[in-house]
Amino acid sequence: MANDQAPRPRSVRMTGRERREQLVAVGRRLFAEKGYDAASVEEIAARAKVSKPVVYEHFGGKEGLYAVIVDREVGALLAALEQSLQDQRSHPRVLMERAALAFLSYIDDNEDGFRMLVRDSPVSQSGGTFSSLLSDVARRVEGILAAQLKLRGYPTKDAPVYAQMLVGMVAYTGQWWLETHKPSKEVLAARLVNLSWFGLAAMEKKPELRGGAGS
């Protein structure tokens, strides 16, 4: 008697690169949801529908997977910011607007990646943390601010301080916006630059506390 039932198609085996990318995607989502400490190799393997040894084979364990993902996210964000600041012939305010919008666009397009970056990293993770990333971004902003401070007769030695302030403001606002997505990133970028730019424009050259140090 002929068997009319069609043969069951064989499952397609992933290549090594495809499996690696699958584990990266699964790990990114899990680390974003739970953080590094709460995530486990067991759960990563279960979500990817593989055995634990497969995770160890590709990344050497949870820390290795985490490091690869963070390195990718940091690289993607820095590349976007560097691209936004590339045309130094543009007006500094336009550069600030582009940088703020690039930061918010990264958050909009990479929510899981950004959630990973702002969470605590493992103790043994010496680089690629969110704080070191922001310091890297601030160093890129220093040059723009130093030129503007010099143009307006302000001491350029203050550029690193103001760069940290501006980058911190955008980063913290970005974390808040991640949960709301309101207003639009274009409106938010305009508001951020409005506050920072006109704050810089009206700065005192030698600011002092109005109420005194002990008040």
Side-chain angles (χ1 to χ4, degrees):
M1 181 177 178
N3 187 356
D4 295 331
Q5 187 175 10
R8 180 180 297 175
R10 297 178 62 184
S11 59
V12 178
R13 184 181 179 85
M14 285 188 180
T15 65
R17 174 174 290 186
E18 289 170 339
R19 179 65 71 190
R20 186 177 176 86
E21 291 305 312
Q22 181 210 23
L23 291 171
V24 165
V26 169
R28 182 189 291 112
R29 173 58 59 85
L30 187 58
F31 288 134
E33 290 175 2
K34 294 191 170 184
Y36 178 83
D37 290 334
S40 67
V41 173
E42 289 83 358
E43 188 166 2
I44 293 168
R47 290 196 182 192
K49 298 181 179 179
V50 297
S51 62
K52 285 171 55 178
V54 173
V55 181
Y56 287 105
E57 176 187 348
H58 284 277
F59 300 100
K62 181 175 73 168
E63 184 177 342
L65 175 58
Y66 182 92
V68 167
I69 299 171
V70 168
D71 186 63
R72 287 191 183 188
E73 295 302 323
V74 169
L77 178 51
L78 282 179
L81 290 170
E82 287 172 352
Q83 179 66 29
S84 70
L85 298 173
Q86 201 168 46
D87 186 5
Q88 294 297 316
R89 295 170 299 177
S90 297
H91 190 279
R93 178 170 179 173
V94 174
L95 290 176
M96 291 174 65
E97 289 175 351
R98 290 175 181 168
L101 189 57
F103 194 97
L104 295 173
S105 294
Y106 165 80
I107 296 174
D108 200 23
D109 297 335
N110 303 275
E111 287 194 13
D112 286 341
F114 186 69
R115 288 184 191 278
M116 273 191 62
L117 292 180
V118 300
R119 282 183 178 274
D120 291 337
S121 62
V123 175
S124 58
Q125 185 80 16
S126 59
T129 62
F130 192 56
S131 59
S132 65
L133 168 65
L134 295 184
S135 294
D136 198 0
V137 174
R139 283 192 293 272
R140 286 159 167 77
V141 175
E142 278 180 31
I144 298 173
L145 290 181
Q148 291 304 305
L149 291 172
K150 183 177 181 180
L151 185 64
R152 290 166 170 76
Y154 294 97
T156 56
K157 64 181 178 62
D158 290 337
V161 176
Y162 290 123
Q164 291 287 343
M165 293 176 182
L166 287 172
V167 171
M169 179 178 70
V170 175
Y172 187 81
T173 304
Q175 293 181 56
W176 166 81
W177 185 73
L178 175 63
E179 307 302 333
T180 64
H181 284 280
K182 292 180 180 179
S184 70
K185 59 186 177 184
E186 292 80 9
V187 170
L188 184 58
R191 299 290 187 271
L192 283 166
V193 175
N194 183 48
L195 174 61
S196 57
W197 181 257
F198 285 103
L200 287 170
M203 284 195 309
E204 296 175 335
K205 293 188 177 181
K206 293 185 178 180
E208 296 181 355
L209 297 177
R210 297 295 178 90
S215 60

